[in-house]
Amino acid sequence: AMTLEIREGRGVGPESDHIYLHLDHLPAELLAERLPGISETAKIFAGVDVTKEPIPVIPTVHYNMGGIPTNHFGEVVNPTKDDPDRIV
């Protein structure tokens, strides 16, 4: 969805090349407790205080968060000893 919005010209910024992730509606205590890494990364790399302003993001940023293993077709994989490419 993020990529589609950006590609179709609905991104933000001078070059419309990113979107905003708003976390400022959440209590500062909750952000500090549950998302300290995101808060710190936004401050360091984007100069953003997530309690007051949105974080500029692009789809690739989410790879930092980990997730579900997939192959290059987007299929979920669950490797086993006998089949390292086992598709779920």
Side-chain angles (χ1 to χ4, degrees):
M2 294 169 55
T3 301
L4 184 62
E5 292 297 308
I6 293 168
R7 284 187 182 165
E8 293 188 356
R10 293 186 292 270
V12 296
E15 298 182 33
S16 300
D17 60 351
H18 58 279
I19 63 171
Y20 285 136
L21 173 61
H22 289 266
L23 299 176
D24 51 331
H25 64 286
L26 299 171
E29 303 78 34
L30 181 69
L31 291 168
E33 176 187 336
R34 296 192 182 173
L35 301 171
I38 291 174
S39 300
E40 181 181 20
T41 300
K43 185 69 169 175
I44 292 169
F45 293 104
V48 170
D49 178 351
V50 298
T51 65
K52 298 177 182 169
E53 50 195 323
I55 306 167
V57 296
I58 58 174
T60 57
V61 171
H62 289 84
Y63 287 109
N64 290 331
M65 298 171 68
I68 299 170
T70 62
N71 62 20
H72 63 280
F73 296 112
E75 299 168 316
V76 176
V77 294
N78 185 9
T80 65
K81 182 179 177 183
D82 298 323
D83 184 2
D85 298 315
R86 180 176 166 262
I87 297 170
V88 175

